[in-house]
Amino acid sequence: MYITCLDLEGVLVPEIWIAFAEATGIPELKRTTRDEPDYDKLMQYRLDILDKNGLGLKEIQDTIATIDPLPGAKEFLDALRDISQVIILSDTFTQFAKPLMEKLGMPTIFCNTLVVSPDGKITDYKLRLPDGKRKTVKALQSIGYDTIASGDSYNDLGMIESSKAGFLFRTTDQLKKDYPNVPAYETYDELLGAIKKVLDAE
């Protein structure tokens, strides 16, 4: 039996930090896991910028409230959930995810948690699990599931390469060049078709 594991940002919804960068006029916050493979380094960079600019959880949540799923994302996810169990594996945070999950029909998501002080300042973050995407795929396999995985960034490669089938989706030219053996798709129809082929061959 298969479980399909999907990244969230860039695959189903816009990048939250890019949207927040545009809302605040702070271009440095546009840096994502597409640009920086080291997640701890990236998050410390973000927290330093938030601290310097006096920005906290509320300001980010106000931006998230304005974000809708990418065009066609919910329809794709609905169609995928008709043929496969689906888990979203994301490096986002529980404090960010809930309104987005509501717009996507409340799929299951495994993500991280922010540490927030009483005044709303984000002081730290807690990873659900280091290297969580790859380890989650391995854990699912250890209890008898095969996995299909898709994402767009460096931090998705662990789950993609560890799965029985894995696909890049709307990724960068650099990632396509660096990982030419991983099929890369640009549309939901293409991705759904590739997943269906794997499931049909079961």
Side-chain angles (χ1 to χ4, degrees):
M1 185 177 180
Y2 279 95
I3 293 181
T4 301
C5 299
L6 297 176
D7 181 34
L8 177 64
E9 294 177 66
V11 174
L12 297 172
V13 303
E15 293 280 355
I16 292 168
W17 289 97
I18 290 177
F20 189 56
E22 291 171 350
T24 58
I26 303 172
E28 292 83 1
L29 286 172
K30 289 186 177 183
R31 193 165 179 80
T32 73
T33 50
R34 287 184 171 198
D35 312 300
E36 175 53 70
D38 186 328
Y39 187 72
D40 288 314
K41 183 177 177 182
L42 177 62
M43 275 306 300
Q44 195 53 60
Y45 169 81
R46 288 167 168 168
L47 293 182
D48 288 346
I49 292 172
L50 294 179
D51 185 45
K52 287 175 185 174
N53 289 274
L55 298 168
L57 179 60
K58 182 184 183 302
E59 288 80 8
I60 300 175
Q61 287 178 327
D62 287 347
T63 295
I64 292 169
T66 70
I67 295 175
D68 289 321
L70 292 166
K74 186 175 186 302
E75 292 79 6
F76 160 75
L77 189 57
D78 288 345
L80 181 58
R81 292 168 80 186
D82 279 342
I83 59 173
S84 172
Q85 297 294 315
V86 179
I87 298 174
I88 296 173
L89 302 181
S90 175
D91 282 331
T92 194
F93 304 95
T94 54
Q95 294 95 333
F96 292 2
K98 188 172 183 293
L100 298 171
M101 293 305 98
E102 288 172 351
K103 291 179 180 180
L104 287 169
M106 292 306 290
T108 298
I109 183 169
F110 295 173
C111 60
N112 302 315
T113 306
L114 291 168
V115 179
V116 184
S117 65
D119 64 358
K121 179 181 177 181
I122 301 171
T123 58
D124 203 355
Y125 62 97
K126 291 182 181 178
L127 295 179
R128 179 180 59 83
L129 187 68
D131 193 16
K133 295 184 180 187
R134 184 186 66 83
K135 287 181 179 176
T136 298
V137 158
K138 289 292 189 182
L140 291 169
Q141 292 165 354
S142 76
I143 56 172
Y145 289 97
D146 285 321
T147 57
I148 302 167
S150 184
D152 69 330
S153 297
Y154 284 101
N155 66 335
D156 299 312
L157 291 167
M159 70 173 180
I160 288 171
E161 295 184 322
S162 297
S163 291
K164 192 161 186 179
F167 310 107
L168 289 165
F169 185 69
R170 294 181 181 172
T171 191
T172 62
D173 289 339
Q174 187 63 50
L175 266 166
K176 291 178 191 176
K177 182 180 175 183
D178 290 346
Y179 295 88
N181 295 328
V182 181
Y185 299 110
E186 294 297 321
T187 72
Y188 291 119
D189 285 346
E190 290 174 333
L191 181 57
L192 186 62
I195 293 170
K196 281 182 176 178
K197 281 185 180 178
V198 178
L199 297 173
D200 289 344
E202 184 178 6

